[in-house]
Amino acid sequence: MGVPDATPFITTQIETNQIEENGVNTNALGISGFWQPAKRGWLPSISAGYGVNGSSGSDLPTSQSWMVGLQWSDVLAEGNSFGMGVGQPAFATATRNGATSESGVWAWEWCYQWQVTDAISVTPAIFVLNNPGGNGGGANQFGALIKTSFQF
């Protein structure tokens, strides 16, 4: 069993405890929002979200996640945009049986969407993952991609 967008520490804790077989109950709460300025300019649109999970009968009673994203419209040319996001995937904030909680798990992303035509856009992006393994597991990771979108 895997937990999407969670640190390996959380996934390991869940697999070790066999949550489905041991009758662990989990309650989750998430909230997110979006704001966009009335006029395009220096003010970016803002996206934010927060989630917290509480489990009973598990060595991992509490985990949480959060993110903030900013996007500026019409950067360098009309139709183009620049964006960045930062956040933490689901990470352990409270544990039982002496396991340590996680800290320093971060994800950052920067992208620029270039609107080539009305139907084609090209978006290069770079991202950095800090402590992706949780609890000091794994070196930081850096990546890049180029996404090309076609609308018909």
Side-chain angles (χ1 to χ4, degrees), residues 16-136:
T16 301
N17 290 300
Q18 300 171 352
I19 284 179
E20 293 175 348
E21 295 176 16
N22 291 332
V24 172
N25 294 315
T26 299
N27 294 310
L29 173 68
I31 186 166
S32 61
F34 173 82
W35 176 81
Q36 182 174 352
K39 293 184 177 183
R40 295 178 179 188
W42 290 104
L43 285 176
S45 61
I46 302 170
S47 301
Y50 173 77
V52 63
N53 306 299
S55 298
S56 63
S58 166
D59 288 343
L60 182 62
T62 308
S63 62
Q64 59 185 317
S65 61
W66 66 270
M67 65 75 61
V68 174
L70 305 173
Q71 182 173 327
W72 289 265
S73 298
D74 294 337
V75 176
L76 301 179
E78 188 174 341
N80 297 353
S81 62
F82 172 76
M84 63 85 53
V86 62
Q88 292 183 279
F91 64 99
T93 54
T95 60
R96 293 191 180 101
N97 299 330
T100 59
S101 60
E102 295 178 293
S103 64
V105 180
W106 296 84
W108 290 80
E109 180 182 357
W110 299 267
C111 64
Y112 182 79
Q113 181 179 352
W114 174 39
Q115 197 66 44
V116 180
T117 69
D118 287 343
I120 301 171
S121 66
V122 176
T123 308
I126 59 172
F127 59 89
V128 176
L129 304 175
N130 182 63
N131 189 20
N135 286 339

